[in-house]
Amino acid sequence: MQTFVLVVHIILAVLMIVLILVQHGKGADAGASFGGGGAATVFGASGSGNFMTRLTAVLTALFFITSLTLAVLAKRQTTDAYSLNSVQSTQTAPAQSPETSSTAPRNGE
């Protein structure tokens, strides 16, 4: 379970990095007015901004959820490793008292 969540977490991180690097910054609008060709996009003039922004928000939310899930799984694993429930207790026989032992010398003999 933890390995699966970790793999999803890494994939989300890489997708977020790529998606954020592909997006245009706030200052890109000024450059587009001088012939940047902003209207010839796949999503339309303003559609890519909304789509990319929403996709980034969804990936960020999923990344946050996987981060919390990994933290909970790590805490559970650490708690189980250091709890006293995992220690094996062995049952020992009680020590014999000197009066009942046959090898112990008696008083007066």
Side-chain angles (χ1 to χ4, degrees):
M1 175 72 180
Q2 186 174 2
T3 306
F4 174 73
V5 175
L6 184 62
V7 168
V8 170
H9 188 71
I10 292 171
I11 290 171
L12 286 172
V14 170
L15 286 175
M16 280 177 49
I17 291 169
V18 169
L19 188 62
I20 290 170
L21 289 176
V22 167
Q23 290 182 16
H24 294 288
K26 296 274 184 187
D29 294 335
S33 65
F34 296 109
T41 61
V42 176
F43 300 105
S46 65
S48 73
N50 288 337
F51 175 75
M52 296 286 203
T53 304
R54 288 184 184 176
L55 188 58
T56 304
V58 168
L59 289 179
T60 305
L62 290 173
F63 183 81
F64 185 71
I65 290 169
T66 56
S67 296
L68 289 176
T69 305
L70 285 171
V72 168
L73 290 174
K75 175 69 174 169
R76 186 179 302 156
Q77 183 180 5
T78 304
T79 304
D80 290 343
Y82 291 111
S83 70
L84 293 177
N85 295 335
S86 64
V87 176
Q88 296 282 336
S89 62
T90 57
Q91 198 71 345
T92 58
Q96 293 181 349
S97 64
E99 292 117 15
T100 59
S101 175
S102 61
T103 58
R106 296 184 187 205
N107 291 339
E109 286 184 25

